[in-house]
Short mmCIF file of all heavy atoms in Angstrom, two decimals:
data_model
loop_
_atom_site.label_atom_id
_atom_site.label_comp_id
_atom_site.label_asym_id
_atom_site.label_seq_id
_atom_site.Cartn_x
_atom_site.Cartn_y
_atom_site.Cartn_z
N GLU W 1243 -25.70 -10.06 105.73
CA GLU W 1243 -25.28 -11.40 106.12
C GLU W 1243 -24.85 -12.22 104.91
O GLU W 1243 -23.88 -12.98 104.99
CB GLU W 1243 -26.41 -12.10 106.88
CG GLU W 1243 -26.62 -11.57 108.29
CD GLU W 1243 -27.82 -12.17 108.98
OE1 GLU W 1243 -28.57 -12.93 108.32
OE2 GLU W 1243 -28.03 -11.89 110.18
N LEU W 1244 -25.55 -12.06 103.81
CA LEU W 1244 -25.15 -12.74 102.58
C LEU W 1244 -23.79 -12.26 102.10
O LEU W 1244 -22.95 -13.06 101.68
CB LEU W 1244 -26.21 -12.53 101.49
CG LEU W 1244 -27.50 -13.33 101.63
CD1 LEU W 1244 -28.51 -12.89 100.58
CD2 LEU W 1244 -27.22 -14.83 101.49
N ALA W 1245 -23.59 -10.94 102.15
CA ALA W 1245 -22.30 -10.38 101.73
C ALA W 1245 -21.18 -10.85 102.65
O ALA W 1245 -20.09 -11.22 102.18
CB ALA W 1245 -22.37 -8.85 101.73
N MET W 1246 -21.44 -10.87 103.95
CA MET W 1246 -20.42 -11.31 104.90
C MET W 1246 -20.12 -12.80 104.73
O MET W 1246 -18.97 -13.23 104.82
CB MET W 1246 -20.89 -11.02 106.32
CG MET W 1246 -19.82 -11.18 107.38
SD MET W 1246 -18.45 -10.01 107.19
CE MET W 1246 -19.26 -8.46 107.59
N GLU W 1247 -21.15 -13.59 104.48
CA GLU W 1247 -20.94 -15.03 104.26
C GLU W 1247 -20.14 -15.27 102.99
O GLU W 1247 -19.30 -16.19 102.94
CB GLU W 1247 -22.30 -15.74 104.17
CG GLU W 1247 -22.17 -17.25 104.05
CD GLU W 1247 -23.52 -17.96 104.01
OE1 GLU W 1247 -24.55 -17.27 104.13
OE2 GLU W 1247 -23.54 -19.19 103.84
N PHE W 1248 -20.39 -14.46 101.99
CA PHE W 1248 -19.62 -14.58 100.75
C PHE W 1248 -18.13 -14.40 101.02
O PHE W 1248 -17.29 -15.12 100.47
CB PHE W 1248 -20.10 -13.53 99.75
CG PHE W 1248 -19.26 -13.43 98.51
CD1 PHE W 1248 -19.28 -14.42 97.55
CD2 PHE W 1248 -18.42 -12.33 98.31
CE1 PHE W 1248 -18.49 -14.34 96.41
CE2 PHE W 1248 -17.63 -12.22 97.19
CZ PHE W 1248 -17.67 -13.24 96.23
N VAL W 1249 -17.78 -13.44 101.88
CA VAL W 1249 -16.37 -13.17 102.19
C VAL W 1249 -15.81 -14.23 103.13
O VAL W 1249 -14.75 -14.81 102.87
CB VAL W 1249 -16.20 -11.76 102.79
CG1 VAL W 1249 -14.73 -11.50 103.12
CG2 VAL W 1249 -16.72 -10.70 101.84
N THR W 1250 -16.50 -14.47 104.24
CA THR W 1250 -15.94 -15.34 105.27
C THR W 1250 -15.90 -16.81 104.84
O THR W 1250 -14.93 -17.51 105.12
CB THR W 1250 -16.77 -15.22 106.57
OG1 THR W 1250 -18.14 -15.52 106.29
CG2 THR W 1250 -16.66 -13.82 107.14
N VAL W 1251 -16.96 -17.25 104.17
CA VAL W 1251 -17.03 -18.66 103.75
C VAL W 1251 -16.54 -18.83 102.31
O VAL W 1251 -15.65 -19.64 102.03
CB VAL W 1251 -18.47 -19.20 103.89
CG1 VAL W 1251 -18.53 -20.66 103.41
CG2 VAL W 1251 -18.93 -19.10 105.34
N GLY W 1252 -17.12 -18.04 101.40
CA GLY W 1252 -16.81 -18.21 99.98
C GLY W 1252 -15.38 -17.87 99.61
O GLY W 1252 -14.84 -18.40 98.64
N ILE W 1253 -14.76 -16.96 100.36
CA ILE W 1253 -13.38 -16.58 100.05
C ILE W 1253 -12.41 -17.18 101.07
O ILE W 1253 -11.56 -18.00 100.72
CB ILE W 1253 -13.21 -15.05 100.01
CG1 ILE W 1253 -14.07 -14.44 98.90
CG2 ILE W 1253 -11.74 -14.68 99.79
CD1 ILE W 1253 -14.02 -12.92 98.84
N ALA W 1254 -12.56 -16.81 102.33
CA ALA W 1254 -11.56 -17.18 103.35
C ALA W 1254 -11.58 -18.67 103.69
O ALA W 1254 -10.57 -19.37 103.55
CB ALA W 1254 -11.77 -16.34 104.60
N GLU W 1255 -12.74 -19.18 104.13
CA GLU W 1255 -12.79 -20.57 104.57
C GLU W 1255 -12.60 -21.56 103.43
O GLU W 1255 -11.95 -22.59 103.60
CB GLU W 1255 -14.11 -20.84 105.30
CG GLU W 1255 -14.21 -20.12 106.64
CD GLU W 1255 -15.49 -20.46 107.38
OE1 GLU W 1255 -16.26 -21.34 106.91
OE2 GLU W 1255 -15.75 -19.84 108.44
N ASP W 1256 -13.16 -21.27 102.27
CA ASP W 1256 -13.00 -22.17 101.13
C ASP W 1256 -11.56 -22.22 100.64
O ASP W 1256 -11.13 -23.21 100.03
CB ASP W 1256 -13.91 -21.74 99.97
CG ASP W 1256 -15.37 -22.09 100.23
OD1 ASP W 1256 -15.64 -22.73 101.25
OD2 ASP W 1256 -16.22 -21.71 99.41
N THR W 1257 -10.80 -21.17 100.90
CA THR W 1257 -9.40 -21.12 100.45
C THR W 1257 -8.44 -21.66 101.51
O THR W 1257 -7.51 -22.42 101.20
CB THR W 1257 -9.00 -19.68 100.11
OG1 THR W 1257 -9.89 -19.17 99.12
CG2 THR W 1257 -7.57 -19.63 99.56
N MET W 1258 -8.68 -21.31 102.77
CA MET W 1258 -7.72 -21.61 103.83
C MET W 1258 -8.17 -22.70 104.78
O MET W 1258 -7.36 -23.23 105.55
CB MET W 1258 -7.44 -20.33 104.64
CG MET W 1258 -7.01 -19.15 103.81
SD MET W 1258 -6.93 -17.61 104.76
CE MET W 1258 -5.59 -17.97 105.87
N GLY W 1259 -9.44 -23.04 104.75
CA GLY W 1259 -9.98 -23.94 105.76
C GLY W 1259 -10.49 -23.14 106.94
O GLY W 1259 -10.02 -22.04 107.23
N LYS W 1260 -11.46 -23.70 107.66
CA LYS W 1260 -12.16 -22.96 108.71
C LYS W 1260 -11.23 -22.51 109.82
O LYS W 1260 -11.28 -21.38 110.29
CB LYS W 1260 -13.29 -23.80 109.27
CG LYS W 1260 -14.27 -23.01 110.13
CD LYS W 1260 -15.51 -23.83 110.42
CE LYS W 1260 -16.53 -23.01 111.18
NZ LYS W 1260 -17.79 -23.76 111.43
N GLU W 1261 -10.36 -23.40 110.28
CA GLU W 1261 -9.50 -23.09 111.42
C GLU W 1261 -8.45 -22.03 111.07
O GLU W 1261 -8.22 -21.10 111.84
CB GLU W 1261 -8.82 -24.36 111.93
CG GLU W 1261 -9.75 -25.32 112.64
CD GLU W 1261 -10.46 -24.68 113.82
OE1 GLU W 1261 -9.79 -23.97 114.61
OE2 GLU W 1261 -11.67 -24.87 113.96
N LYS W 1262 -7.82 -22.19 109.94
CA LYS W 1262 -6.80 -21.22 109.53
C LYS W 1262 -7.42 -19.86 109.23
O LYS W 1262 -6.85 -18.81 109.56
CB LYS W 1262 -6.05 -21.72 108.29
CG LYS W 1262 -5.18 -22.94 108.54
CD LYS W 1262 -4.52 -23.37 107.23
CE LYS W 1262 -3.71 -24.64 107.43
NZ LYS W 1262 -3.14 -25.12 106.15
#
Side-chain angles (χ1 to χ4, degrees):
E1243 287 174 354
L1244 285 173
M1246 191 64 69
E1247 185 178 357
F1248 172 73
V1249 180
T1250 57
V1251 178
I1253 297 177
E1255 291 183 6
D1256 285 356
T1257 303
M1258 306 171 67
K1260 193 168 184 177
E1261 288 303 315
K1262 292 179 184 176

